[in-house]
Each structure stands twice: as C-alpha cells, then as structure tokens.
C-alpha cells in the first residue's frame, strides 16, 4: 500500500473515532504527496465540517469539484458546507448542480430538501423559540444551565461562524434538524492489495475529553459498534452481528446499534428478523427520546423489508409512518411507486373472465328491456373483470348510442378496435355513431374498414350505402360544414398542401408518392373524409 493510501486510511480511522484534528492532519499530509486526489480533499472537507470549520470545509469542497466536476458527491460536500455557513441560496445551487449529474442521488435530494426548508431562517441561532427547542432536546437541555453557553448563544445570534466550543456544533445540529455526525461519510478507494500494512508504532494519542465523561460501558459499546462497522463493510455479517449485539448488551438504550443489527439481517435476506429488530429499535428510541430521523429510518427499513417480501400494502404503511416522522423526497417517491404497484395488483386480482360473462348477460337483459343506464353499469363491470375483451366495449358503445352519448360511445369503439383491429362489430358501431354525429365521410371510412374484413356483411353494406347517398345528395352542405372545421381550414391554408393538391389535379399519379409521407397522408385523409376532395 502506498504512503498516500496509508495516510488516507489513518485519516478515515481518525474521522470515525471523532478525532477530527488528527484526521485533518493525515489528509493534509496525503494531499502534500498527491495534490490532485479529489477524494482526499473531499474527506478533509468532511473532517473540517465535523470540526465546525466550515470555511475550510467549503474551500476543500470547491477544490474537490474543480478536480472532479463530474462527481456528484463533491457538490454534496459544497452544499453542506454552504448550508452550515448560512449561505442557503448558494447551497441550493450546489445541490442542484449535483442532481444534474445524478438525479436519483438520495443524499443530494435530502440535502436540497432540508436547505430549502431552512431558507426562511437565515441565521439558525435566531430561530423563533430557540430556547424551547434546545430545552426539549436531550442533547442540549443541560447546556442551558451554563451561563457561558448562554453568552456564546447570544454572540452567535450576530455571527454564527468560527465554532470552537463543541456544544455549539451540537446546538446547530438541533436547530437545523440535521446531524453533522451523520453527514456523508469519508470516501474510500478499493483495496489495492489483500495484505494489510503492518501498523507502525505511534506516539500515544491525546486523551479525548468527551470520552472521559462517558461511562465505561458506553465507551466499550462504541468500540464494539466500530468493530461491527468494519466487519459489515467487509460483508462479514456474522462477525458484525456479534459486535453489534455486544454493543447492545453494553448500552441497551442506543437505537443505532439495533438499527445496525437490522441492516445486517436485511443484507442476509432475513426480512422477518429485520422487521422485528426495527420494531424493537423504535420502542427503545421512543423510550430514550431518540432523534426523529432515526425513528423514521427504522420505519423505512421495515418498509424496505416488506417491499422485498412483496407485501406491498404493509410496505406502504411503514413508508407512510416514516414520512410522518421525517419527510424526504426519496420516501415520497417510494410511496408513489408502491401505490402504482398496489393498484396494478388490485386490477389484476379483480380480473375474472367468468364473472365478466355473467355481467355481460345481465347487461344484455337490461339492454333488451330498454334500461340502457342499467346495461352500462353491468357492461362496465364486465370490462373491469376482463379489460382485454373488445365485445364488452362494443356493447357499452351500443348503450351510449341509444342515449345519444356519442363521444363516450366513440371512445369505446376506438378501444375495442385498438384491442382487436379485426373486430368487425367495432368498426360498424363506430360508423353508426359517426353517422349520428353527422360525420358522414368519417362514417363511410369506418364502414369501408368493416367491408374489408367481411365484404358481404349486411350492416356494413347498409351503413356504407346510407352514408354514400347522404354525401352525394347534398355535397354543398357537406362542403360548407367541412370548411367550418378549424383543422380543414389549417390544411387548406398550408402553402405546401395547396401545391400538392394542384399537382394531384394535373398529375393523379403523384398521389401515390405523397401518400408515402404519413403526415401528408393524414391531411389528405382528413380532406377526403370532409368531402373537400374525392379520389376516383
């Protein structure tokens, strides 16, 4: 492993251990050896952000983007740093730029949604009801007992930059509704070798002041969690479970360990176990006033598990519960997708050709008795039971014709022809409806289609003759009505079409060439149906 990678791994390890200054030092040393490595700047940006040094975090994020402008995560780093500096418009622009590269990136979507929501508050330390919010959060309620802390709050209401007191970083997380410790992790390269470098003797690290205040079992639990994370990344799930379970034994009040166990079960496709673990996590989280985002995460993971089991309705229930805790664009999208699946499943489950035939017979009885609305009800039910049978649409179209609801009848005819172009009754019904709408030319075309399928069909022959007589008996009336049609007017005003029509008069053979163009053919068909032109 080369020196840059060694330093980078040391930085990653320090960052995981919340040794931010040490992480920054290792990343800086690595950058000195490889100043064009965008991952190093990205990781150092994360370390600076966690240390509350947002201006440096932004500078490294901008360097990351400059080195790798097609890498979406660089924009996420930039958007996050800008958000913490209160530069919300610039933050939104950064997140949007990243989403142009990766439209489905969950971290970018979440960051954009959060910053958009924060935009109404330019300085988070000026949030209305700030003291109530801080007093109600277990992370900050004890801070309010310290006069020095209150003095710092007052100072930061005018200038929120330069946070050296770690309590202010926690305060900012509470006020913005986002946890800096849970922001995007550092970036890692794939291992270059299966052999791990031998650790060098290093001087003892300075003691952590915050860890000194933690009970021994809590510190031990954090170590077990880290060991579990390392095993999880290597897909050594049994080893990860062992460490996560040990962490729970040491600190049973921490929801994160239970969620980590659920994540392992999910990877192992043990979905029932995953659900049970998440349910336990929710109970523990509620009892210990965990962050609402962690509760939402537990509900989301249950939803994912049910989705994998194809239990769509339960997945929907838990995604909705997640949204009630914390609304995010990705869960909203998942809910929309699940709704579509549920509706399609319900549609398929409702299909029953036998019941469709029963409904059709009931509809036929109503039709014979002149109860056309009643018949429509039964034919509609038949369509729901078997939506791919054209005859039900045709029968309903007949009812609409009797009720003079020609538009609805025509729509049903189009549908049954779409299902089966050789369904002759559909063409005949269409012809009759068009006749009722006084569109003789179009009706003539429909009957012509029917006669192509069955030249001896008496209904089609009768309809065709009736339309032909009507068209020929009053051509001037037909032409007058056609000229009032805006579509016909548009065609006749088109200089290209006028040229084509003149050419057809002088050279009838030119028609065949023009009909090869589908756009011109459609316009000629419209003029033909309207009675404006006739082709002999």
């Amino acid at each position: 492993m080369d020196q840059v990678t060694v330093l980078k791994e040391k930085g990653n390890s320090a960052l995981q251990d919340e040794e931010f200054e040490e992480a920054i030092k290792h990343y800086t040393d690595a950058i000195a050896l490889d100043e064009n490595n965008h991952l190093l700047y990205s990781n150092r940006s994360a370390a600076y952000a966690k240390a509350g040094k947002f201006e440096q975090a932004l500078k490294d994020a901008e360097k990351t983007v400059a080195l790798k402008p097609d890498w979406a995560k660089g924009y996420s780093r930039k958007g996050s740093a800008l958000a913490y500096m209160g530069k919300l418009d610039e933050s939104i622009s950064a997140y949007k730029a990243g989403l142009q590269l990766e439209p489905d990136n969950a971290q970018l979507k979440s960051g954009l949604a959060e910053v958009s929501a924060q935009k109404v508050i330019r300085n988070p330390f000026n949030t209305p009801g700030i003291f109530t919010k801080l007093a109600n959060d277990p992370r900050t309620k004890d801070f309010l007992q310290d006069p020095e802390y209150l003095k710092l709050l007052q100072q930061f209401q005018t200038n929120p930059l330069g946070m050296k007191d770690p309590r202010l970083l926690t305060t900012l997380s509470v006020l913005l509704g986002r946890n800096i410790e849970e922001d995007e992790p550092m970036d890692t390269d794939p291992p270059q070798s299966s052999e791990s470098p031998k650790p060098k003797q290093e001087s003892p690290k300075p003691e952590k002041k915050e860890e000194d205040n933690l009970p021994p079992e809590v510190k031990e639990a954090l170590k077990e969690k880290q060991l579990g994370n390392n095993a999880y990344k290597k897909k050594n799930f049994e080893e990860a479970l062992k460490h996560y379970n040990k962490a729970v034994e040491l600190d049973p009040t921490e929801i994160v360990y239970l969620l980590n166990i659920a994540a392992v079960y999910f990877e192992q496709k043990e979905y029932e176990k995953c659900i049970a673990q998440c349910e336990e996590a929710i109970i523990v989280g509620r009892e210990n006033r965990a962050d609402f985002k962690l509760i939402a995460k537990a509900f989301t993971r249950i939803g994912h598990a049910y989705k994998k089991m194809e239990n769509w309705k339960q997945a929907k229930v838990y995604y909705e519960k997640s949204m009630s805790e914390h609304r995010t664009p990705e869960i909203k999208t998942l809910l929309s997708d699940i709704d579509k699946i549920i509706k399609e499943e319900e549609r398929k489950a409702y299909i029953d050709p036998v019941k469709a035939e029963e409904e059709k017979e009931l509809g036929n009885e109503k039709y014979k008795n002149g109860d056309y609305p009643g018949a429509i009800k039964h034919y509609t039910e038949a369509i729901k039971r078997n939506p791919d049978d054209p005859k039900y649409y045709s029968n309903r179209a007949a009812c609409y014709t009797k009720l003079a609801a020609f538009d609805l009848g025509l729509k049903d005819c189009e549908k049954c022809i779409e299902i089966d172009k050789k369904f002759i009754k559909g063409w005949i019904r269409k012809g009759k409806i068009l006749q009722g709408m006084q569109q003789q030319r179009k009706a003539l075309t429909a009957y012509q289609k029917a006669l192509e399928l069955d030249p001896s069909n008496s209904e089609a022959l009768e309809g065709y003759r009736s339309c032909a007589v009507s068209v020929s008996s009053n051509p001037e009336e037909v032409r007058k009505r056609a000229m009032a049609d805006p579509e016909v007017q548009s065609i006749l005003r088109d200089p290209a079409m006028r040229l084509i029509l003149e050419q057809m008069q002088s050279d009838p053979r030119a028609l065949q060439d023009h009909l090869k163009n589908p756009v011109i053919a459609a316009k000629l068909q419209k003029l033909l149906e309207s009675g404006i032109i006739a082709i002999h």
Side-chain angles (χ1 to χ4, degrees):
M1 189 181 293
D2 62 29
Q3 187 62 20
V4 171
T5 305
V6 171
L7 288 167
K8 181 163 171 286
E9 290 301 322
K10 284 182 179 180
N12 292 353
S13 178
L15 191 57
Q16 285 182 334
D17 292 337
E18 299 181 1
E19 291 284 1
F20 306 133
E21 293 300 333
E22 186 178 341
I24 290 166
K25 179 182 180 301
H26 289 308
Y27 293 139
T28 301
D29 290 344
I31 287 169
L33 298 172
D34 185 1
E35 62 182 14
N36 293 319
N37 188 325
H38 67 283
L39 294 177
L40 296 174
Y41 288 99
S42 175
N43 284 4
R44 193 170 69 174
S45 176
Y48 275 134
K50 290 177 185 291
K53 298 179 178 181
F54 302 123
E55 288 178 324
Q56 292 96 320
L58 175 60
K59 188 176 178 182
D60 273 359
E62 288 175 334
K63 182 67 174 178
T64 304
V65 171
L67 289 171
K68 188 76 172 169
D70 60 345
W71 192 50
K73 195 165 187 178
Y75 296 92
S76 183
R77 294 277 191 232
K78 183 177 178 180
S80 180
L82 286 164
Y84 285 120
M85 293 172 72
K87 298 180 178 181
L88 302 185
D89 288 329
E90 292 177 52
S91 175
I92 287 170
S93 297
Y95 282 124
K96 285 182 177 178
L99 285 168
Q100 286 183 348
L101 297 171
E102 286 186 26
D104 297 323
N105 186 295
Q107 192 72 31
L108 287 165
K109 284 182 178 180
S110 176
L112 179 59
E114 288 175 359
V115 175
S116 298
Q118 294 161 19
K119 192 175 175 182
V120 293
I121 304 168
R122 301 305 299 184
N123 182 345
F125 290 89
N126 286 326
T127 305
I130 177 174
F131 293 102
T132 303
K133 194 168 187 178
L134 296 175
N136 288 334
D137 195 290
R139 292 172 291 175
T140 50
K141 65 177 182 179
D142 293 333
F143 296 170
L144 296 173
Q145 307 303 316
D146 184 353
E148 282 299 314
Y149 173 78
L150 295 175
K151 192 183 294 183
L152 283 169
L153 273 186
Q154 188 176 10
Q155 175 191 332
F156 271 67
Q157 286 178 337
T158 56
N159 178 19
L161 300 180
M163 298 186 183
K164 294 181 180 179
D165 190 320
R167 294 177 300 178
L168 290 171
L169 201 60
T170 305
T171 303
L172 190 59
S173 292
V174 172
L175 296 178
L176 294 182
R178 51 189 301 186
N179 191 340
I180 296 174
E181 306 306 324
E182 289 178 6
D183 275 359
E184 284 184 273
M186 64 277 173
D187 309 296
T188 56
D189 288 320
Q192 297 176 349
S193 169
S194 58
E195 295 180 7
S196 301
K198 294 180 181 179
K200 296 179 181 178
Q201 283 295 111
E202 293 183 10
S203 56
K205 295 178 182 179
E207 292 183 3
K208 301 177 187 178
K209 293 181 181 178
E210 289 188 14
E211 279 202 6
D212 284 342
N213 298 326
L214 294 175
E217 62 274 13
V218 174
K219 286 194 280 188
E220 195 60 34
L222 287 169
K223 289 179 183 177
E224 290 293 336
K225 174 198 167 192
Q226 189 54 54
L227 291 169
N229 289 350
N230 294 339
Y232 182 89
K233 288 175 184 175
K234 296 174 183 175
K235 297 192 179 295
N236 188 345
F237 297 129
E238 291 304 324
E239 184 71 13
L241 276 177
K242 185 180 82 173
H243 291 296
Y244 290 145
N245 279 312
K246 183 65 177 174
V248 172
E249 288 177 26
L250 292 162
D251 184 4
T253 65
E254 179 53 69
I255 183 176
V256 170
Y257 307 148
L258 297 167
L259 287 174
N260 288 359
I261 292 170
V264 174
Y265 285 141
F266 188 88
E267 290 293 331
Q268 292 179 320
K269 297 181 171 54
E270 295 276 3
Y271 300 123
E272 294 287 358
K273 288 184 180 180
C274 173
I275 291 167
Q277 199 67 38
C278 287
E279 287 172 343
E280 185 181 346
I282 291 164
I283 293 169
V284 170
R286 298 274 197 222
E287 289 174 350
N288 294 280
R289 300 185 69 185
D291 190 321
F292 60 89
K293 289 184 182 178
L294 292 174
I295 302 292
K297 190 174 185 179
F299 281 127
T300 298
R301 191 158 285 156
I302 293 175
H304 290 339
Y306 276 121
K307 186 179 177 186
K308 286 288 185 181
M309 296 161 70
E310 297 188 359
N311 188 337
W312 313 114
K313 289 187 177 179
Q314 281 297 93
K316 180 182 177 181
V317 166
Y318 282 93
Y319 286 145
E320 286 174 341
K321 287 184 177 183
S322 176
M323 287 281 279
S324 70
E325 296 288 335
H326 178 51
R327 297 182 68 84
T328 63
E330 53 268 35
I331 302 302
K332 188 176 180 181
T333 301
L334 281 169
L335 263 175
S336 177
D337 293 342
I338 286 287
D339 271 331
K340 289 175 186 174
I341 292 170
I342 289 172
K343 285 177 183 175
E344 182 60 18
E345 290 288 314
E346 287 175 347
R347 187 189 73 81
K348 289 178 181 176
Y350 201 70
I351 291 174
D352 186 333
V354 174
K355 287 186 178 178
E357 281 297 306
E358 291 173 2
E359 290 293 334
K360 186 199 83 169
E361 291 304 321
L362 291 170
N364 290 349
E365 285 298 318
K366 295 284 185 183
Y367 185 88
K368 288 175 186 174
N369 296 329
D371 182 2
Y372 303 122
I376 287 170
K377 181 182 175 183
H378 289 295
Y379 291 141
T380 300
E381 183 64 19
I383 288 168
K384 289 179 182 176
R385 291 291 187 179
N386 190 2
D388 296 325
D389 192 324
K391 64 177 177 285
Y392 306 139
Y393 296 95
S394 175
N395 287 5
R396 192 170 68 176
C399 294
Y400 284 135
T401 305
K402 291 289 186 180
L403 295 169
F406 297 124
D407 287 346
L408 294 173
L410 186 60
K411 188 177 177 182
D412 271 354
C413 289
E414 296 287 4
K415 183 64 180 178
C416 67
I417 293 166
E418 178 191 317
I419 294 169
D420 183 1
K421 283 186 168 53
K422 294 183 178 180
F423 187 69
I424 191 169
K425 191 163 274 190
W427 291 109
I428 293 170
R429 292 247 191 260
K430 183 177 179 180
K432 287 185 176 180
I433 289 171
L434 289 167
Q435 272 187 287
M437 296 171 76
Q438 298 300 309
Q439 296 184 26
Q440 307 294 342
R441 289 277 179 178
K442 288 184 178 180
L444 200 63
T445 302
Y447 287 129
Q448 208 167 3
K449 290 282 187 182
L451 289 170
E452 287 173 10
L453 296 169
D454 181 6
S456 60
N457 186 285
S458 57
E459 275 190 281
L461 283 167
E462 184 182 341
Y464 186 85
R465 290 188 189 115
S466 173
C467 287
V469 169
S470 177
V471 168
S472 60
S473 63
N474 195 352
E476 189 54 39
E477 182 64 30
V478 171
R479 183 179 176 81
K480 185 178 177 182
R481 191 162 50 243
M483 291 300 290
D485 186 333
E487 188 179 350
V488 171
Q489 292 174 11
S490 175
I491 294 169
L492 293 176
R493 281 198 300 267
D494 184 345
M497 282 302 299
R498 286 208 301 270
L499 191 63
I500 288 167
L501 293 173
E502 289 172 9
Q503 188 181 9
M504 284 168 55
Q505 284 182 332
S506 59
D507 182 8
R509 290 173 299 178
L511 175 65
Q512 297 304 318
D513 291 330
H514 292 307
L515 289 175
K516 291 175 184 177
N517 184 321
V519 176
I520 294 172
K523 290 180 178 180
L524 290 172
Q525 181 66 24
K526 174 68 179 178
L527 296 178
L528 181 66
E529 290 174 351
S530 303
I532 297 296
I533 63 171
I535 299 172
H536 302 288

